[in-house]
Amino acid sequence: MTSSRAILILAAGQGRRFGGDQPKCLVPILGGEGSLQRLLRQLLLLAADTKIGVVVGHRAETVAAAVGALSSTIRCIGDASLANGSPLATIVAGLHSLAGDRHLQGAWVLFADTLYHPRALERFLASDAEQLLIASQPARPDAAGDLVGVRYEPESSRLIALGPEVPHSQGVMAPAVYWPRSLWSTLAEAARSEEHTSELQ
């Protein structure tokens, strides 16, 4: 059965701080593969029935070729214009590409240049949260496979800890966020505001 949630992987940035012209998510680090290929292989095992999209920008053709070499079912979204965009603009571009699929309730957003612990990634994707969910992995070595979830409560503007009893302040943020469809328009408005502000500066 097809999932009512999609997965977006952000792979549009230039990664200037990483050095070189090659997209940093494709730089071989494990077994000759980059972090993007590793993440895609994990997702193809953990979420085989889920729509997966990769948002591209810098060296879009190169990233798309690497994605296509792994799977013909993963769609690449975006173009070179996103290379200089903010993470927010990249997320919105990805969500916009999903908007026509009315059965989708939300999307998990992950970063192509991040190494996710397999158990933490599995728990995050298995979450049944219907609100904004931000995931972090505890900094403690003995809890490397535990996922600490944080749910945002709009009414009280509080972050509510989920999962293992580890205070959020003891965790290191991992870029893993579940965006329910109800917040997509809010994100789009924030991106437009951000763009307008940068034009005025």
Side-chain angles (χ1 to χ4, degrees):
M1 187 175 85
T2 302
S3 172
S4 61
R5 300 173 181 189
I7 298 173
L8 284 176
I9 302 170
L10 307 187
Q14 293 190 34
R16 294 187 186 94
R17 288 175 296 179
F18 199 74
D21 192 41
Q22 184 179 11
K24 63 178 177 178
C25 62
L26 298 182
V27 174
I29 51 174
L30 294 170
E33 288 190 324
S35 55
L36 175 59
Q37 291 102 321
R38 180 180 189 269
L39 177 57
L40 290 177
R41 288 190 189 281
Q42 288 176 306
L43 294 176
L44 289 170
L45 287 173
L46 295 173
D49 298 325
T50 302
K51 178 182 286 189
I52 301 173
V54 178
V55 187
V56 297
H58 176 60
R59 301 288 300 274
E61 300 83 2
T62 302
V63 177
V67 172
L70 278 177
S71 172
S72 61
T73 64
I74 300 174
R75 180 180 168 208
C76 286
I77 304 150
D79 54 46
S81 66
L82 290 175
N84 296 312
S86 68
L88 180 57
T90 306
I91 294 170
V92 169
L95 294 177
H96 180 73
S97 74
L98 302 173
D101 193 340
R102 302 309 302 176
H103 92 282
L104 288 177
Q105 298 173 1
W108 291 289
V109 175
L110 305 168
F111 279 68
D113 59 359
T114 297
L115 296 179
Y116 295 91
H117 190 284
R119 282 198 295 150
L121 186 60
E122 184 176 10
R123 291 190 62 184
F124 178 62
L125 295 176
S127 167
D128 60 359
E130 293 302 331
Q131 293 181 306
L132 175 66
L133 178 66
I134 304 169
S136 69
Q137 253 174 242
R140 299 193 334 263
D142 63 333
D146 290 335
L147 182 74
V148 177
V150 180
R151 186 183 70 243
Y152 177 67
E153 281 193 350
E155 301 82 13
S156 61
S157 297
R158 290 193 306 152
L159 292 174
I160 308 300
L162 307 172
E165 296 302 318
V166 180
H168 182 60
S169 61
Q170 292 182 18
V172 175
M173 281 305 299
V177 182
Y178 173 70
W179 290 102
R181 192 182 192 105
S182 60
L183 290 180
W184 291 6
S185 60
T186 302
L187 277 174
E189 290 173 11
R192 284 193 293 270
S193 176
E194 179 183 68
E195 182 179 3
H196 178 66
T197 300
S198 65
E199 288 174 353
L200 294 176
Q201 292 176 345

